[in-house]
Amino acid sequence: MLRLTTAIALLISGMVAASPLPDFPFINVTGQATIDVVPDKAQIHFQLRQTGATAEQATRGVYQQGASLLTFLKSKGLTEQALDAAQINKEAQFKDYQDRTITGYEASQPIVLTLDDLEHYVAIMDYLFTQPQIFSIHSSFDHSQREQFEMTLSEKAGANAKQRAAMLAAAQGVKLSTVYAITESGSFASLASDYGFTGGQVSFGRMEKMSADSGMAGALLAPKQITLQKSINVIYKLNP
């Protein structure tokens, strides 16, 4: 009987110790900060895709498309170092879902092109969109000084969290004490399902034409600004 009682006591003790909630009055707030910046770099994701009667024809087609791409990029002052290419993938093409007779082959290769400046962005996008065997083209924009902006955002998000916590505490007639927890990643059980620091989100601001030289009907656009955002979660102890 003594052993059973001891085991139950240890179990209850373990359950209490495992509780994710602090055992004192607290308040949990999320501080946020955003800043709009003009992007000065970009990544362009796309895929080279070729079909052929034989696997060799499809694969050779991707090689040739890649060589043409490199020639164009070199004309814009870019080198192979700006490209990050995945391994070529090959798939068989069938007559239909029921008849699995092979009618040809498709070879494809995902490519990521990194631009350290946006001087030739529109010209490059014009090239990619007008090539019949380049697909799935999309861009993401960033700023070369992102780390400096994120440091500023971290400070502003922290200040915003403290201001919001003080207002909520005052409304309940209590005062803030010390910080109990502040994290950049991880979780605090069910208290905050995403208890952490969001890593510099990018969203598009107002759009503007990058070049007046484009003769295409739907002139290519790039964001005039991107919004960098940070949020930080803080738990404060409360004093009566």
Side-chain angles (χ1 to χ4, degrees):
M1 183 66 178
L2 178 59
R3 291 182 179 178
L4 178 59
T5 302
T6 301
I8 293 175
L10 289 174
L11 177 61
I12 294 175
S13 176
M15 291 173 62
V16 172
S19 174
L21 299 177
D23 58 358
F24 51 78
F26 68 92
I27 185 171
N28 177 47
V29 294
T30 299
Q32 296 181 334
T34 61
I35 185 173
D36 294 332
V37 299
V38 178
D40 63 3
K41 60 188 301 185
Q43 278 194 336
I44 305 174
H45 298 250
F46 55 94
Q47 188 174 100
L48 308 182
R49 191 185 307 160
Q50 294 279 349
T51 58
T54 65
E56 181 178 3
Q57 288 178 349
T59 304
R60 296 293 181 189
V62 169
Y63 291 159
Q64 292 171 5
Q65 183 71 67
S68 298
L69 174 65
L70 283 175
T71 299
F72 171 78
L73 293 178
K74 288 179 180 179
S75 72
K76 300 301 179 183
L78 299 173
T79 67
E80 294 183 21
Q81 300 301 317
L83 289 173
D84 185 10
Q87 184 173 343
I88 292 178
N89 182 52
K90 182 193 71 175
E91 298 287 347
Q93 296 180 315
F94 302 98
K95 186 174 183 179
D96 54 45
Y97 288 107
Q98 295 182 343
D99 188 343
R100 306 305 286 172
T101 301
I102 295 177
T103 59
Y105 294 86
E106 178 183 275
S108 60
Q109 184 175 35
I111 304 287
V112 179
L113 172 62
T114 299
L115 302 179
D116 291 329
D117 62 66
L118 301 181
E119 178 182 1
H120 300 295
Y121 172 78
V122 169
I124 291 172
M125 292 296 283
D126 278 343
Y127 173 85
L128 296 177
F129 276 111
T130 54
Q131 297 303 299
Q133 302 301 328
I134 296 181
F135 300 88
S136 305
I137 307 166
H138 66 275
S139 303
S140 60
F141 297 86
D142 207 339
H143 197 283
S144 56
Q145 302 299 318
R146 171 183 283 275
E147 291 186 1
Q148 295 182 20
F149 286 122
E150 289 186 344
M151 290 180 62
T152 300
L153 288 172
S154 298
E155 295 174 357
K156 290 184 176 181
N160 178 252
K162 187 173 183 179
Q163 180 183 30
R164 296 179 65 183
M167 292 175 60
L168 289 172
Q172 300 301 319
V174 294
K175 296 181 180 180
L176 295 183
S177 181
T178 57
V179 173
Y180 172 73
I182 178 171
T183 64
E184 292 186 351
S185 61
S187 61
F188 199 69
S190 60
L191 186 62
S193 60
D194 187 16
Y195 187 75
F197 196 82
T198 62
Q201 300 176 2
V202 176
S203 61
F204 292 104
R206 190 172 56 176
M207 309 291 277
E208 67 174 7
K209 187 184 293 186
M210 292 292 291
S211 172
D213 298 329
S214 175
M216 298 180 66
L220 289 166
L221 301 175
K224 183 177 181 180
Q225 64 186 28
I226 56 177
T227 301
L228 303 181
Q229 176 181 331
K230 290 275 187 174
S231 63
I232 188 168
N233 290 279
V234 186
I235 296 178
Y236 288 93
K237 292 182 180 181
L238 294 176
N239 286 330

